[in-house]
Amino acid sequence: MEDPKPEEISHPPMDQLQGFEYCIDSNPSWGEAIALGFQHYILSLGTAVIIPTFLVSLMGGSSDDKVRVIQTLLFVGGINTLLQTLFGTRLPTVIGGSHAFIVPIISIIHDSSLMQIPDQHLRFLATMRAIQGAVIVSSSVQIILGFSQLWGIVSRFFSPLGMVPVISLVGFGLFDRGFPLAGRCVEIGIPMFILFVVFSQYLKNFRTKDLPILERFALLLSVMVIWAYAHMITAGGAYKHRPDLTQIHCRTDRANLISSAPWIKIPYPLQWGAPTFDAGHSFGMMAGALVSLFESTGAYIAASRLASATPPPAHVLSRGIGWQGFGILLDGLFGTGTGSTVSVENIGLLGSTRVGSRRVIQISAGFMIFFSILGKFGALFASIPIPIFAAIYCVLFGIVASVGLSLLQFTNMNSMRNMFITGVSLFLGLSIPEYFREYTALAHHGPAHTNAGWFNDLINTVFSSSPTVALIVSIFLDNTLDYKDSARDRGMHWWVKFRTFRGDGRNEEFYTLPFNLNRFFPPS
């Protein structure tokens, strides 16, 4: 038997992923684009419901308050998505609520001065205003680092090798929001996972009028089928005598969202009252903004890959962070209860549908704004049981994680240096946050537990984020360990041409600002 030829055992590295029918600046027909945009909107509901459901009850809020926070989060998310796709990175990314702010938010909720308020609704309003003030101040972190181009300068220390653990853990680091949530109602979660995989992968070649309908709309179709199935077993009385926790996760009529939602309600700035400002709260919240920045950096690079684009140049990445900071400022002004970041699950959906069109995401932003105003209709979709979303996350987070691993093709993985950096960064990126989570679950406070609350929030927030830990470890090791003699092994020969706007001719096609604005903001 002949020895295999090199081209038979290896595949040449590719700047852009192949097999995408629509890339960032190509568009499907309007009908298909609207359906795809609605699919992205449905997916964005998961995070928009999970975060307020968890936080509002801790703040003393009622079901009515929870619905208003969900509406506000979706409304501002739609505005931020439009701003990001028009003036930010211009990548097809949905901007939604961020879990990175949860630790400092809980710290504010448990502030003794707020906990002493006897009336629950007044405590909710006071807590929300305190969160708003801290979020407004924290937005300055990303606004300054982004619009000053400082983050673009920092990004010049990145390499394909250094970003592999960061992007991978943007997906892998969310494992606790996958099967652990889907498993809370296995009779819904497992069928949803199986049906989504079957539609999107095994039946993806099924076509109607030359449209791969099952691959393109696998999420929408599978959600409809499993949601109807969940409603049938709920109406049939399957959960009547089950524990309350099971009913909360499985029933389709327990969320109280539809009954509490107004028919029409337009969120507006300062709707909860004037924000209050506290230095300790603000410093802690800045840690959340910093973590959101790190996580979004990896997410933007993943989105560029799954939109069949080139990696965003340094000034484009910095510009996107600046607009994301402006979005966090809007979060604080409107009172969403948290800050903003890139929605990882929606990035994964780009890969699942093989449609990376910017127009589709802009249409989804329109749905977010529209249904947040029409409260009853938005609440209907938001009442989809969380295990259905969690089952989808098992696939979509995995797709994003694999994008990070795909960058290894530009590096030399026969190098022990590279293997050391990749392995240690990935392991610590998973292990350190898990330690912080386990410690918090047992002790009811993070490992950092000093008299300085802002310091505790800073340490506990930063080291609870897998992508953040991976970025700190991988970038430090990659730029200090034999870095002078390893530029080619790190993949810098491929990466360097994408650092500047004019380094590659395709950058103008993907990242030029609309309305001829580049005349006023010339790219570097």
Side-chain angles (χ1 to χ4, degrees), residues 105-236:
I105 288 172
I106 291 178
S107 179
I108 293 174
I109 291 172
H110 291 153
D111 188 290
S112 58
S113 63
L114 296 170
M115 292 293 289
Q116 291 172 1
I117 300 175
D119 185 277
Q120 291 295 296
H121 183 64
L122 292 179
R123 181 166 76 87
F124 166 76
L125 292 177
T127 305
M128 177 61 81
R129 292 197 294 266
I131 292 171
Q132 285 183 258
V135 169
I136 288 171
V137 174
S138 72
S139 68
S140 62
V141 172
Q142 294 191 19
I143 290 174
I144 293 171
L145 289 176
F147 289 131
S148 70
Q149 291 296 319
L150 284 174
W151 190 241
I153 295 172
V154 171
S155 70
R156 295 178 185 275
F157 292 95
F158 301 164
S159 72
L161 179 72
M163 293 310 292
V164 165
V166 180
I167 301 172
S168 296
L169 291 185
V170 165
F172 287 144
L174 300 173
F175 66 88
D176 58 329
R177 291 171 222 164
F179 200 81
L181 287 182
R184 293 179 180 180
C185 190
V186 292
E187 59 266 40
I188 294 176
I190 291 179
M192 180 66 208
F193 173 79
I194 293 173
L195 195 63
F196 182 63
V197 171
V198 169
F199 281 173
S200 65
Q201 301 301 318
Y202 290 95
L203 300 179
K204 63 183 178 181
N205 293 320
F206 177 81
R207 290 178 172 267
T208 301
K209 295 182 179 180
D210 292 328
L211 176 67
I213 192 165
L214 291 182
E215 178 189 47
R216 200 62 52 82
F217 302 106
L219 185 147
L220 203 55
L221 295 172
S222 54
V223 166
M224 290 170 59
V225 171
I226 300 301
W227 191 17
Y229 157 71
H231 189 71
M232 287 173 57
I233 59 178
T234 298

Side-chain angles (χ1 to χ4, degrees), residues 49-127:
V49 172
I50 289 174
I51 294 178
T53 298
F54 173 65
L55 292 177
V56 171
S57 59
L58 294 178
M59 296 160 64
S62 63
S63 294
D64 292 346
D65 296 324
K66 179 175 72 173
V67 168
R68 284 188 64 190
V69 174
I70 291 172
Q71 286 180 280
T72 305
L73 188 55
L74 282 170
F75 183 82
V76 178
I79 294 173
N80 287 339
T81 299
L82 286 176
L83 291 174
Q84 191 62 235
T85 54
L86 285 171
F87 309 117
T89 60
R90 308 216 68 217
L91 289 165
T93 51
V94 171
I95 306 298
S98 173
H99 290 264
F101 295 82
I102 296 294
V103 171
I105 288 172
I106 291 178
S107 179
I108 293 174
I109 291 172
H110 291 153
D111 188 290
S112 58
S113 63
L114 296 170
M115 292 293 289
Q116 291 172 1
I117 300 175
D119 185 277
Q120 291 295 296
H121 183 64
L122 292 179
R123 181 166 76 87
F124 166 76
L125 292 177
T127 305

